[in-house]
Amino acid sequence: MEDVSRDISGEIISVLESVIDKPLDATSEKDLVSDLGMDSIALMNFSMALEDHFDVSIPLDRMAEVETLGDLSDTIENLLRKGK
Amino acid sequence: MSLFSKFDGLRAAHAKLTAAGADPFSVVFEDIVSATEGILHGQRTVLLGTNNYLGLTFDEAGKQASMEAVARHGTGTTGSRIANGSYDGHARLEAELAAFFGRRHGMVFSTGYQANLGILSTLAGKHDHLVIDSDSHASIYDGARLGHAPVVRFRHNDPKDLEKRLARLADEPGEKIIVVEGIYSMLGDSAPLAEICELKRRYGAYLIVDEAHSMGVLGENGRGLAEELGVENDVDFVIGTFSKSLGSVGGFCVSSLEGFETLRIACRPYMFTASLPPAIIASTSRALTIVGEQPELRARLRGNAERLYHGLSAAGFVVGPECSPIVSVIIRDVDKAVAFWNMLLERGLYVNLALPPATPSAAAFLRGSVSASHSEEQIAFAVDVMSEVGRELGLLPSKVTELSARRRDAKDAKEPARPRAAGAGAATA
Ligand SMILES: Cc1ncc(COP(=O)(O)O)c(C=O)c1O
């Protein structure tokens, strides 16, 4: 069974905080580029940190569709479910 | 909202760049007089950013072969290989490339960019997986995106990270294709190919190596990094370009895998674009012979690379992690890098300015590429003028006091163009 209690969004935010090294006012609607000011390098570092944390590889086309933290959380959840 | 409003951010960044001086994206040389010199704003300028590794753009035999080809076969093919037919020269060059690399098959493309576009997008089908280095050239990213396979990237030159990616894919159906470069174009560092080959074998993946910057440069016979490291048998496809050490334009892929020839009727960036003109084929063929027959060019190139790399490093600059013909100075402050590039141009030295996000970090690079044709004087001139500008911009420790520096700056402002470059250039003209 899928571990429904896992707080993927929360884990994403804590990874993000460790990557940019400061606490964030991050909610799932936040847009990674326009709200959180991430450029392509920051996004790459962030996604690689997430890949390590969740032990998944996020294909580039999936990452390209991600706009908000919520999208990211859905994508990772999908990948984790597929891996089961 | 207008059609172009999505580029507002890009336009603003570009405007800031041009406001700081010349526009690095639209430098126009009035003339190119040799493999290492051009004329810019009436001034002789040393070219240290052209990827002309062996200096073959001005090789006499190559120029002659091109001129004869134009005279005999005309200026262009006016169509693709499948529509208009191949010329004898296309097929011959493919055979020569295959023989050069000791492979069974060769395919020529109209540019190296299209070679990556074509091979990556065609080889990797919907159910396969592409695993690429994160610092890959744009043509690798674009080729990966053009195809239908999922693409994952691993941390630059990091076999451990590559292994994680391969392990995650181990139970997935479909083929896994790893793509790396011989020498990476921005910092001049080379791939840990032996480790990558070992992973490729362990996980049953295919391996493509883009030797764009390492062909003609590395290996006893100039076959690139795979030859240098003795791992050619593990490389399934070599991709390369004619636009660097071979001094013309075009791209290729060679392989010994059975089935390779099918790509000719499946690979759209090969099928639906005009083939290379006869003059290009002729000089490229000639250049390929020179790469094999004149290892002394590689030795001279290596000497020049070492002089520049160690010269800049001794002057106190932060340079790339290893010595290669691509020598990049890393500058954290992007505005200073732009000023640096402009000052070099005013003093007669042309290098490439690489700004984030084209660089793999938040820093800017002043990217030099060395040629076997550079004279020792030209390399010394480059080190001197870069050190001088580095001191003036406060990037290197200055020996002069603040006050005298300011006085000199004021004087320079009145006479921006200096005769030094002309001197260095004239020595080799
Ligand atoms: C690694 C790499 N691959 C491919 C290319 C594209 O080559 P071409 O200039 O022939 O399109 C380049 C150079 O621009 C490159 O650096």
Side-chain angles (χ1 to χ4, degrees):
Chain A
M1 267 305 285
E2 180 62 22
D3 176 12
V4 287
S5 65
R6 187 167 183 183
D7 175 15
I8 290 182
S9 305
E11 290 179 43
I12 290 177
I13 290 170
S14 64
V15 171
L16 179 56
E17 282 171 347
S18 72
V19 169
I20 63 171
D21 214 12
K22 61 176 182 213
L24 270 178
D25 169 30
T27 53
S28 62
E29 310 81 55
K30 284 272 159 77
D31 187 292
L32 296 171
V33 176
S34 60
D35 296 329
L36 301 177
M38 301 190 90
D39 59 16
S40 58
I41 296 157
L43 271 175
M44 182 175 89
N45 291 336
F46 179 35
S47 66
M48 289 200 160
L50 288 172
E51 290 175 318
D52 279 348
H53 178 86
F54 290 102
D55 192 24
V56 291
S57 294
I58 310 172
L60 292 185
D61 58 335
R62 299 273 199 98
M63 197 64 202
E65 282 168 7
V66 166
E67 288 181 1
T68 64
L69 282 174
D71 298 341
L72 194 51
S73 161
D74 292 346
T75 302
I76 289 176
E77 208 172 315
N78 265 320
L79 289 167
L80 288 174
R81 199 173 301 135
K82 217 178 99 213
K84 292 265 143 102
Chain B
M1 276 296 270
S2 83
L3 182 59
F4 294 99
S5 59
K6 61 175 91 58
F7 302 118
D8 286 350
L10 190 61
R11 199 157 18 185
H14 186 236
K16 186 165 167 247
L17 198 56
T18 50
D23 175 1
F25 300 113
S26 42
V27 172
V28 180
F29 291 98
E30 290 109 65
D31 198 4
I32 297 290
V33 294
S34 76
T36 59
E37 265 186 32
I39 307 289
L40 189 69
H41 307 311
Q43 176 176 240
R44 269 180 183 272
T45 300
V46 173
L47 304 175
L48 194 76
T50 59
N51 307 315
N52 198 352
Y53 298 122
L54 302 181
L56 295 185
T57 49
F58 279 78
D59 175 67
E60 277 310 321
K63 288 196 290 185
Q64 202 57 42
S66 272
M67 288 186 279
E68 278 164 26
V70 171
R72 291 177 52 151
H73 305 295
T75 50
T77 66
T78 66
S80 73
R81 307 255 312 257
I82 54 164
N84 294 24
S86 294
Y87 290 27
D88 172 55
H90 294 120
R92 205 158 357 100
L93 181 58
E94 288 177 336
E96 288 167 6
L97 282 161
F100 178 84
F101 283 96
R103 312 263 169 173
R104 275 203 275 279
H105 311 281
M107 241 170 114
V108 162
F109 290 81
S110 298
T111 64
Y113 178 88
Q114 282 160 293
N116 273 323
L117 215 58
I119 295 296
L120 269 53
S121 68
T122 313
L123 275 183
K126 199 169 161 183
H127 302 292
D128 300 322
H129 300 270
L130 277 167
V131 187
I132 70 176
D133 185 287
S134 62
D135 277 10
S136 288
H137 186 257
S139 57
I140 293 175
Y141 271 104
D142 291 357
R145 203 168 66 158
L146 184 64
H148 302 287
V151 184
V152 298
R153 56 182 169 188
F154 62 95
R155 287 191 172 86
H156 174 56
N157 274 354
D158 183 343
K160 281 209 182 68
D161 197 47
L162 170 61
E163 173 156 27
K164 277 194 226 161
R165 316 279 167 176
L166 292 170
R168 284 174 198 146
L169 290 172
D171 295 329
E172 299 261 338
E175 305 294 347
K176 287 88 195 186
I177 305 169
I178 304 166
V179 188
V180 299
E181 296 174 28
I183 293 180
Y184 282 84
S185 57
M186 281 293 155
L187 280 181
D189 49 340
S190 56
L193 205 51
E195 290 88 333
I196 290 170
C197 287
E198 142 67 17
L199 288 172
K200 169 249 160 158
R201 268 182 274 127
R202 180 139 32 104
Y203 287 89
Y206 289 92
L207 176 61
I208 299 178
V209 180
D210 180 345
E211 301 263 19
H213 294 273
S214 35
M215 177 191 188
V217 170
L218 297 180
E220 202 178 324
N221 299 285
R223 294 198 297 269
L225 182 66
E227 186 196 11
E228 174 105 356
L229 299 180
V231 295
E232 288 175 285
N233 285 340
D234 284 318
V235 177
D236 301 292
F237 302 88
V238 178
I239 287 178
T241 175
F242 304 156
S243 73
K244 306 191 193 302
S245 61
L246 299 180
S248 64
V249 65
F252 69 90
C253 179
V254 296
S255 174
S256 287
L257 292 190
E258 207 181 317
F260 183 84
E261 294 295 328
T262 315
L263 292 174
R264 292 188 199 275
I265 50 171
C267 178
R268 297 166 67 90
Y270 171 85
M271 296 161 71
F272 298 106
T273 193
S275 61
L276 289 169
I280 296 300
I281 297 289
S283 76
T284 304
S285 168
R286 174 68 209 155
L288 189 62
T289 310
I290 294 175
V291 168
E293 287 177 354
Q294 299 187 22
E296 62 273 20
L297 289 177
R298 266 185 294 294
R300 210 178 309 151
L301 174 65
R302 204 166 310 126
N304 279 343
E306 279 165 8
R307 268 186 281 284
L308 184 63
Y309 181 84
H310 296 301
L312 291 174
S313 155
F317 286 111
V318 181
V319 291
E322 58 186 284
C323 176
S324 88
I326 298 169
V327 181
S328 287
V329 167
I330 302 165
I331 299 172
R332 301 207 140 274
D333 180 336
V334 172
D335 292 336
K336 275 199 178 167
V338 173
F340 201 132
W341 181 84
N342 276 289
M343 288 163 81
L344 292 179
L345 213 54
E346 280 167 14
R347 294 170 202 201
L349 180 67
Y350 178 78
V351 298
N352 308 126
L353 174 64
L355 300 172
T359 57
S361 69
F365 301 162
L366 287 171
R367 175 189 181 276
S369 57
V370 170
S371 173
S373 290
H374 281 123
S375 64
E376 287 189 28
E377 292 77 18
Q378 285 175 318
I379 300 290
F381 164 70
V383 173
D384 285 351
V385 82
M386 287 180 83
S387 305
E388 182 181 284
V389 171
R391 279 192 295 274
E392 285 171 36
L393 288 174
L395 293 165
L396 294 180
S398 164
K399 294 196 190 82
V400 287
T401 64
E402 277 278 323
L403 187 66
S404 63
R406 225 175 289 139
R407 225 179 270 138
R408 189 188 52 196
D409 284 349
K411 179 168 161 281
D412 277 1
K414 271 178 254 141
E415 35 178 357
R418 296 197 172 179
R420 284 199 51 185
T428 60

